[in-house]
CSV table of all heavy atoms in Angstrom, one decimal:
chain,number,residue,atom,x,y,z
A,273,THR,N,-7.4,-2.0,-2.4
A,273,THR,CA,-8.7,-1.4,-2.4
A,273,THR,C,-9.0,-0.6,-1.1
A,273,THR,O,-8.8,-1.2,0.0
A,273,THR,CB,-9.8,-2.4,-2.6
A,273,THR,OG1,-9.6,-3.1,-3.9
A,273,THR,CG2,-11.2,-1.7,-2.7
A,274,LEU,N,-9.3,0.7,-1.2
A,274,LEU,CA,-9.4,1.5,0.0
A,274,LEU,C,-10.5,0.9,0.9
A,274,LEU,O,-10.4,1.0,2.2
A,274,LEU,CB,-9.8,2.9,-0.4
A,274,LEU,CG,-9.8,3.9,0.8
A,274,LEU,CD1,-8.4,4.1,1.4
A,274,LEU,CD2,-10.4,5.2,0.3
A,275,SER,N,-11.6,0.3,0.4
A,275,SER,CA,-12.6,-0.2,1.2
A,275,SER,C,-12.2,-1.3,2.1
A,275,SER,O,-12.9,-1.7,3.1
A,275,SER,CB,-13.8,-0.7,0.3
A,275,SER,OG,-13.3,-1.7,-0.5
A,276,ARG,N,-11.0,-1.9,1.9
A,276,ARG,CA,-10.5,-2.9,2.7
A,276,ARG,C,-9.4,-2.4,3.8
A,276,ARG,O,-8.8,-3.2,4.4
A,276,ARG,CB,-9.8,-4.0,1.9
A,276,ARG,CG,-10.8,-4.7,0.9
A,276,ARG,CD,-10.1,-5.8,0.2
A,276,ARG,NE,-11.1,-6.6,-0.7
A,276,ARG,CZ,-10.8,-7.6,-1.4
A,276,ARG,NH1,-9.5,-8.1,-1.3
A,276,ARG,NH2,-11.7,-8.2,-2.1
A,277,LEU,N,-9.3,-1.1,3.9
A,277,LEU,CA,-8.4,-0.5,4.8
A,277,LEU,C,-9.0,0.3,5.8
A,277,LEU,O,-9.9,1.1,5.5
A,277,LEU,CB,-7.4,0.3,4.0
A,277,LEU,CG,-6.5,-0.4,3.0
A,277,LEU,CD1,-5.7,0.6,2.1
A,277,LEU,CD2,-5.5,-1.3,3.7
A,278,ASP,N,-8.5,0.2,7.0
A,278,ASP,CA,-8.8,1.2,8.1
A,278,ASP,C,-7.9,2.3,7.9
A,278,ASP,O,-6.7,2.1,7.7
A,278,ASP,CB,-8.7,0.6,9.5
A,278,ASP,CG,-9.7,-0.5,9.8
A,278,ASP,OD1,-10.9,-0.2,9.5
A,278,ASP,OD2,-9.4,-1.5,10.3
A,279,MET,N,-8.4,3.5,7.9
A,279,MET,CA,-7.6,4.7,7.6
A,279,MET,C,-7.6,5.7,8.7
A,279,MET,O,-8.6,5.8,9.5
A,279,MET,CB,-8.1,5.4,6.3
A,279,MET,CG,-8.1,4.6,5.1
A,279,MET,SD,-6.4,4.1,4.6
A,279,MET,CE,-5.7,5.7,4.2
A,280,ALA,N,-6.5,6.4,8.9
A,280,ALA,CA,-6.4,7.3,10.0
A,280,ALA,C,-5.4,8.5,9.6
A,280,ALA,O,-4.6,8.4,8.7
A,280,ALA,CB,-5.8,6.6,11.2
A,281,TRP,N,-5.6,9.6,10.4
A,281,TRP,CA,-4.6,10.7,10.3
A,281,TRP,C,-4.0,10.8,11.7
A,281,TRP,O,-4.7,10.8,12.7
A,281,TRP,CB,-5.4,12.0,10.0
A,281,TRP,CG,-5.8,12.1,8.5
A,281,TRP,CD1,-7.0,11.7,8.0
A,281,TRP,CD2,-5.0,12.6,7.4
A,281,TRP,NE1,-7.0,11.9,6.6
A,281,TRP,CE2,-5.8,12.5,6.3
A,281,TRP,CE3,-3.7,13.1,7.3
A,281,TRP,CZ2,-5.3,12.9,5.0
A,281,TRP,CZ3,-3.2,13.5,6.1
A,281,TRP,CH2,-4.0,13.4,4.9
A,282,PHE,N,-2.7,11.0,11.7
A,282,PHE,CA,-1.9,11.3,12.9
A,282,PHE,C,-1.2,12.7,12.6
A,282,PHE,O,-1.1,13.1,11.5
A,282,PHE,CB,-0.9,10.2,13.2
A,282,PHE,CG,-1.5,9.0,13.7
A,282,PHE,CD1,-2.1,8.1,12.8
A,282,PHE,CD2,-1.5,8.7,15.0
A,282,PHE,CE1,-2.7,6.9,13.3
A,282,PHE,CE2,-2.1,7.5,15.5
A,282,PHE,CZ,-2.7,6.6,14.6
A,283,ARG,N,-0.7,13.2,13.7
A,283,ARG,CA,0.1,14.4,13.5
A,283,ARG,C,1.3,14.4,14.5
A,283,ARG,O,1.2,13.8,15.6
A,283,ARG,CB,-0.7,15.7,13.7
A,283,ARG,CG,-1.3,15.9,15.1
A,283,ARG,CD,-2.2,17.1,15.1
A,283,ARG,NE,-2.7,17.4,16.4
A,283,ARG,CZ,-3.7,18.3,16.7
A,283,ARG,NH1,-4.2,19.0,15.7
A,283,ARG,NH2,-4.1,18.5,17.9
A,284,GLN,N,2.3,15.2,14.1
A,284,GLN,CA,3.4,15.3,15.0
A,284,GLN,C,3.9,16.7,15.0
A,284,GLN,O,4.4,17.2,14.0
A,284,GLN,CB,4.6,14.3,14.6
A,284,GLN,CG,5.7,14.3,15.6
A,284,GLN,CD,6.7,13.1,15.4
A,284,GLN,OE1,6.7,12.5,14.3
A,284,GLN,NE2,7.4,12.8,16.4
A,285,ALA,N,3.8,17.4,16.1
A,285,ALA,CA,4.3,18.7,16.3
A,285,ALA,C,5.8,18.7,16.7
A,285,ALA,O,6.3,17.7,17.2
A,285,ALA,CB,3.5,19.5,17.4
A,286,PRO,N,6.5,19.8,16.4
A,286,PRO,CA,7.9,19.9,16.8
A,286,PRO,C,8.1,19.6,18.2
A,286,PRO,O,7.5,20.1,19.1
A,286,PRO,CB,8.3,21.3,16.4
A,286,PRO,CG,7.3,21.7,15.4
A,286,PRO,CD,6.0,21.0,15.8
A,287,GLY,N,9.0,18.6,18.5
A,287,GLY,CA,9.4,18.3,19.9
A,287,GLY,C,8.4,17.4,20.6
A,287,GLY,O,8.5,17.2,21.8
A,288,LYS,N,7.4,17.0,19.9
A,288,LYS,CA,6.3,16.2,20.5
A,288,LYS,C,6.2,14.8,19.8
A,288,LYS,O,6.7,14.6,18.7
A,288,LYS,CB,5.0,16.9,20.5
A,288,LYS,CG,5.0,18.2,21.3
A,288,LYS,CD,3.6,18.7,21.4
A,288,LYS,CE,3.5,20.0,22.3
A,288,LYS,NZ,2.1,20.5,22.4
A,289,GLU,N,5.5,13.9,20.5
A,289,GLU,CA,5.3,12.6,19.9
A,289,GLU,C,4.2,12.6,18.9
A,289,GLU,O,3.3,13.5,19.0
A,289,GLU,CB,5.0,11.6,21.0
A,289,GLU,CG,6.2,11.3,22.0
A,289,GLU,CD,5.9,10.2,22.9
A,289,GLU,OE1,4.8,9.7,23.0
A,289,GLU,OE2,6.8,9.8,23.7
Side-chain angles (χ1 to χ4, degrees):
T273 303
L274 186 67
S275 61
R276 296 185 177 184
L277 296 170
D278 291 314
M279 300 296 297
W281 286 93
F282 288 79
R283 67 186 182 186
Q284 187 166 17
K288 296 187 176 181
E289 293 187 354

